[in-house]
């Protein structure tokens, strides 16, 4: 299999690069011709599309459509990464693949749009919706914000009424590498098995980096006045029935990748 990973310098992409050493050229996603030419030159048999920009619908939607069209043109299997934030968080129970998306913000809307365009252009695609990624030795943006707050260098409230399904990036990468070799298509939820709220997760991140949680401030979406999806827990039971590498929860495990000498 010739595997191509988009976003190979990113949080998830760099973990895939570390584990599987795929091709990972930086193809400019807003340039559909560049994407097509890149795919024609490399002729991958499989693609894991992780690249995105939180604040750029053109990258998320048009860029993903360009990847799907190029993958279809060279006959490559496509695994496309999406997000729990396609849901509005109003459902009290975890979201399954059959639940109706209703994103609340531009990011969620661009990712839902991408899902739909990708599946239309390349119907054999597997869309993997996941949740908060944690566990890289070099903190991502959200982890860095937690560490800054834990050190008292930043004023932030962590919502106790915002529930997600955080997943270790190494666990997700292993699952994706298994899924890219499967022939599953459609939408699959692959996230951590243990729901956590933002405050609990912040405490776990701080502890993994050897910081006390005493300075982490609790808050709620309601008192903050922001519009935020409250309960975006993903039900990954379908994934559990097809995967041998099933992501558990992250409690007590966030530092495990670097404590055991691996992890980027
Ligand atoms: N992080 C999370 O907690 C989380 C949660 C749920 C879902 N997801 C999904 O998981 C996927 C990976 O997220 P991540 O956190 O690993 O992303 P990330 O760390 O922000 O990395 C994004 C990658 O995309 C590349 N990229 C951005 N704009 C590009 C463009 N115009 N052309 C080509 N490449 C471009 C970046 O390369 P440059 O730096 O060179 O631009 C980088 O390699 C995304 O699909 C995201 O929606 C993430």
């Amino acid at each position: 299999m010739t595997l191509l990973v988009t976003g190979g310098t990113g949080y998830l992409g760099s973990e895939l690069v570390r584990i599987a050493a795929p091709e990972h050229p930086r193809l400019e996603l807003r340039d559909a011709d560049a994407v097509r030419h890149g795919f024609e030159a490399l002729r991958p048999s499989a693609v894991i599309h992780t690249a995105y920009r939180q604040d750029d619908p053109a990258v998320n939607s048009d860029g993903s459509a360009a990847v799907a069209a190029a993958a279809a043109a060279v006959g490559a299997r496509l695994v496309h990464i999406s997000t729990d934030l396609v849901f509005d968080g109003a459902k009290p129970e975890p979201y399954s693949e059959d639940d109706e998306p209703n994103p609340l913000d531009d990011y969620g809307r661009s990712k839902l749009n991408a899902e739909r365009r990708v599946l239309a252009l390349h119907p054999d695609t597997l869309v993997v919706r996941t949740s908060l990624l944690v566990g890289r030795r070099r903190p991502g943006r959200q982890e860095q914000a937690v560490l800054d707050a834990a050190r008292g260098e930043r004023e932030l409230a962590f919502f106790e009424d915002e529930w997600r399904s955080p997943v270790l990036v190494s666990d997700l990468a292993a699952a994706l590498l298994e899924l890219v070799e499967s022939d599953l298509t459609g939408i699959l939820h692959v996230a951590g098995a243990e729901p956590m709220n933002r405050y609990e997760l912040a405490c776990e991140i701080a502890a993994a980096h050897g910081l006390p949680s005493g300075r982490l401030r609790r808050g709620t979406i309601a008192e903050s006045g922001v519009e935020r999806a409250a309960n975006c827990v993903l039900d990954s039971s379908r994934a559990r029935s097809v995967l041998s590498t099933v992501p558990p929860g992250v409690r007590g495990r966030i530092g495990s990748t670097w404590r055991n000498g691996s992890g980027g």
Side-chain angles (χ1 to χ4, degrees), residues 89-138:
K91 187 183 170 196
E93 299 85 33
Y95 284 95
S96 83
E97 292 84 350
D98 300 326
D99 284 313
E100 197 55 44
N102 180 34
L104 294 184
D105 63 9
D106 287 344
Y107 166 65
R109 279 187 282 275
S110 74
K111 294 292 287 186
L112 178 61
N113 197 263
E115 288 185 0
R116 291 177 172 161
R117 291 178 71 183
V118 162
L119 287 168
L121 286 159
H122 191 347
D124 293 339
T125 297
L126 180 68
V127 170
V128 172
R129 290 191 188 131
T130 193
S131 185
L132 295 171
L133 308 178
V134 291
R136 201 175 67 170
R137 184 202 302 265
R138 187 157 48 87

Side-chain angles (χ1 to χ4, degrees), residues 214-260:
R215 288 194 170 112
L216 296 175
R217 197 157 57 79
R218 302 162 192 259
T220 61
I221 297 174
E223 73 195 16
S224 77
V226 299
E227 189 184 32
R228 184 76 75 89
N231 180 23
C232 273
V233 173
L234 292 181
D235 174 353
S236 299
S237 48
R238 195 173 291 171
R240 264 171 256 294
S241 69
V242 295
L243 277 170
S244 65
T245 47
V246 179
V250 305
R251 206 178 290 275
R253 300 180 60 237
I254 293 182
S256 59
T257 30
W258 64 83
R259 277 198 297 272
N260 70 20

Side-chain angles (χ1 to χ4, degrees), residues 145-224:
V146 171
L147 302 184
D148 293 346
R151 293 190 183 104
E153 293 164 3
R154 195 164 164 182
E155 244 334 276
L156 269 183
F158 296 93
F159 298 151
E160 289 184 293
D161 54 354
E162 182 188 350
W163 292 87
R164 308 284 287 273
S165 307
V167 60
L168 274 200
V169 66
S170 51
D171 289 341
L172 179 64
L176 293 174
L177 291 169
E178 188 177 338
L179 289 167
V180 80
E181 301 230 38
S182 78
D183 55 8
L184 285 170
T185 61
I187 295 173
L188 192 68
H189 291 177
V190 184
E194 192 178 7
M196 288 178 95
N197 68 44
R198 284 286 198 161
Y199 176 74
E200 293 173 322
L201 181 60
C203 293
E204 286 287 324
I205 291 168
H209 288 266
L211 293 171
S213 56
R215 288 194 170 112
L216 296 175
R217 197 157 57 79
R218 302 162 192 259
T220 61
I221 297 174
E223 73 195 16
S224 77

Side-chain angles (χ1 to χ4, degrees), residues 6-13 26-30 49-53 59 81-84 107 111 130-133 136 141-142 164:
T6 68
T9 60
Y11 198 94
L12 173 59
R26 190 186 190 284
L27 305 172
E28 176 48 58
L29 290 179
R30 288 163 300 185
H49 175 43
T50 80
Y52 90 118
R53 275 288 297 260
V59 173
I81 312 302
S82 191
T83 174
D84 50 358
Y107 166 65
K111 294 292 287 186
T130 193
S131 185
L132 295 171
L133 308 178
R136 201 175 67 170
R141 275 187 308 273
Q142 304 205 28
R164 308 284 287 273

